[in-house]
Amino acid sequence: MAVYVFGHKSPDTDAVTAAIALAELQKMLGVDAVPCRQGELNPETELILNKFGFDVPELRTDVTGEKFMLVDHSDLKQAPDNCDKGELLAIVDHHKIGDITTPNPIFACVMPVGCTGTVLRILYKDVYKKEIPPNIAGIMMSAILSDTVLFKSVTCTPEDKEAVADLAKIAGIDDPMAWGMEMAKAKSAVEGVPARDLVFRDYKDFDMAGNNVGIGQLELVSLDLVANMRDDLYAEIEKVKAEGNRHSVFLMLTDIMEEATDLMVVSDDPSVVEKAFGKALEGRTVWLPGVMSRKKQMVPNLEKAFAS
Ligand code: MG
Ligand code: MG
Ligand code: MG
């Protein structure tokens, strides 16, 4: 019976490449593992799969009656539907522990590093003592560069840098940072993309003290790219808030060169922004220098603000 490997909803590069890399490792261990995706790929992920010669994983969103593994998340809101009607076998992740529980013991490897790719390298190398195939090394390396925003994010650790240097060698990539810049440009492609698709390109829902809270992020090489789309983006997050009975929807417009985020906010209680970041909204947005990470800088601060 096949075992399906899932990254989170609204997949980013790590969600997709970690599913492929864990499925490959499982195959080496004799498990019939199949990588899946829960949604459309972003242009950066497409570029990476093309470069290293991978097909787009199959689309699946439900695990009723299936055996499955999760990568890059352990939150029910981000997981495939009906997790409780399937059998979860493993979690490999680098986020805070989410709210998924299991009736049986499972394999779990969760580490406080910048990317699931970094955790997977340790599983290949140190836990299962398997050689990483060059094309798998290529996508893992790319995911680390993506998740750590070319090592600039506060989430980046020495293990991530070490992993990129090692994986680049295995993959035969001479200049990983140049490749990372190419990826960043692909990730910044927004022209002609409907506002709704941009909001959901890298989007996660959270439960914060009983409130539904959505946080999307666009990582851009320049905020000029969205200068004439701001009205449309705002209208769209207003819609998303209304549709999902959400308390708040945040859209992080992150300038990866400036290393800052212009945070667009629609909320039942905009004062959470000031509580979380010590800075009030100016109109629709608040400018947050140094903020690039949803998981380390947005989520913990907002959770505290919502709980207070
Ligand atoms: Mg992710
Ligand atoms: Mg990740
Ligand atoms: Mg990210």
Side-chain angles (χ1 to χ4, degrees):
M1 186 178 168
V3 172
Y4 298 101
V5 186
F6 290 88
H8 52 77
K9 291 193 160 86
S10 295
D12 59 4
T13 288
D14 190 30
V16 176
T17 58
I20 295 171
L22 179 58
E24 189 63 32
L25 175 60
Q26 291 296 324
K27 278 186 227 160
M28 290 178 182
L29 300 170
V31 177
D32 176 21
V34 180
C36 301
R37 67 187 160 95
Q38 293 196 65
E40 295 312 310
L41 301 190
N42 71 42
E44 179 198 61
T45 312
E46 279 176 2
L47 176 78
I48 292 164
L49 294 190
N50 263 329
K51 180 174 175 86
F52 294 101
F54 287 96
D55 293 334
V56 175
E58 64 181 76
L59 182 68
R60 274 182 181 261
T61 55
D62 196 299
V63 289
T64 303
E66 308 287 3
K67 289 182 192 289
F68 66 104
M69 299 180 175
L70 299 179
V71 293
D72 202 32
H73 71 295
S74 65
D75 289 277
L76 281 170
K77 278 193 194 298
Q78 297 166 28
D81 299 338
N82 295 307
C83 277
D84 54 334
K85 299 191 181 81
E87 187 186 352
L88 177 61
L89 301 178
I91 296 171
V92 179
D93 190 19
H94 68 117
H95 293 84
K96 73 183 171 73
I97 304 283
D99 52 2
I100 285 182
T101 58
T102 59
N104 295 307
I106 65 162
F107 179 94
C109 188
V110 181
M111 299 174 76
V113 293
C115 181
T116 311
T118 304
V119 183
L120 282 163
R121 172 171 168 264
I122 290 165
L123 287 187
Y124 267 93
K125 207 170 67 77
D126 301 328
V127 179
Y128 295 107
K129 317 244 185 269
K130 297 287 182 195
E131 264 183 38
I132 305 173
N135 58 345
I136 293 282
I139 57 174
M140 283 161 63
M141 174 200 74
S142 302
I144 299 167
L145 291 168
S146 173
D147 262 10
T148 64
V149 196
L150 305 173
F151 301 150
K152 289 189 212 176
S153 171
V154 295
T155 59
C156 185
T157 67
E159 286 87 349
D160 299 304
K161 291 185 177 173
E162 182 194 313
V164 165
D166 177 47
L167 294 167
K169 255 183 239 156
I170 299 171
I173 301 295
D174 295 332
D175 189 346
M177 297 315 274
W179 166 237
M181 212 41 228
E182 240 180 274
M183 287 166 35
K185 280 182 197 147
K187 200 191 299 202
S188 299
V190 294
E191 214 186 295
V193 182
R196 188 169 189 85
D197 294 359
L198 292 177
V199 170
F200 283 108
R201 182 178 271 181
D202 182 2
Y203 175 91
K204 291 179 181 175
D205 274 314
F206 298 88
D207 180 326
M208 296 194 182
N211 300 294
N212 288 329
V213 176
I215 309 176
Q217 182 173 29
L218 287 174
E219 288 168 337
L220 304 161
V221 289
S222 163
L223 293 195
D224 293 348
L225 292 164
V226 290
N228 57 7
M229 293 181 187
R230 282 174 176 264
D231 288 348
D232 291 348
L233 290 170
Y234 189 79
E236 207 55 54
I237 62 173
E238 278 186 316
K239 249 189 248 169
V240 173
K241 178 182 175 299
E243 287 163 3
N245 191 27
R246 292 172 174 91
H247 177 286
S248 306
V249 177
F250 301 91
L251 182 61
M252 301 171 70
L253 301 172
T254 300
D255 187 320
I256 67 172
M257 305 316 283
E258 293 278 333
E259 303 185 30
T261 289
D262 204 24
L263 185 65
M264 195 176 266
V265 181
V266 182
S267 178
D268 288 342
D269 177 12
S271 78
V272 291
V273 171
E274 189 161 6
K275 272 188 218 155
F277 303 105
K279 225 177 154 182
L281 267 184
E282 286 170 39
R284 300 166 167 183
T285 61
V286 58
W287 177 250
L288 302 173
V291 171
M292 292 206 286
S293 168
R294 172 171 44 204
K295 116 180 140 166
K296 271 208 160 174
Q297 295 168 304
M298 289 290 296
V299 172
N301 287 324
L302 284 169
E303 279 188 332
K304 257 185 250 157
F306 272 97
S308 70

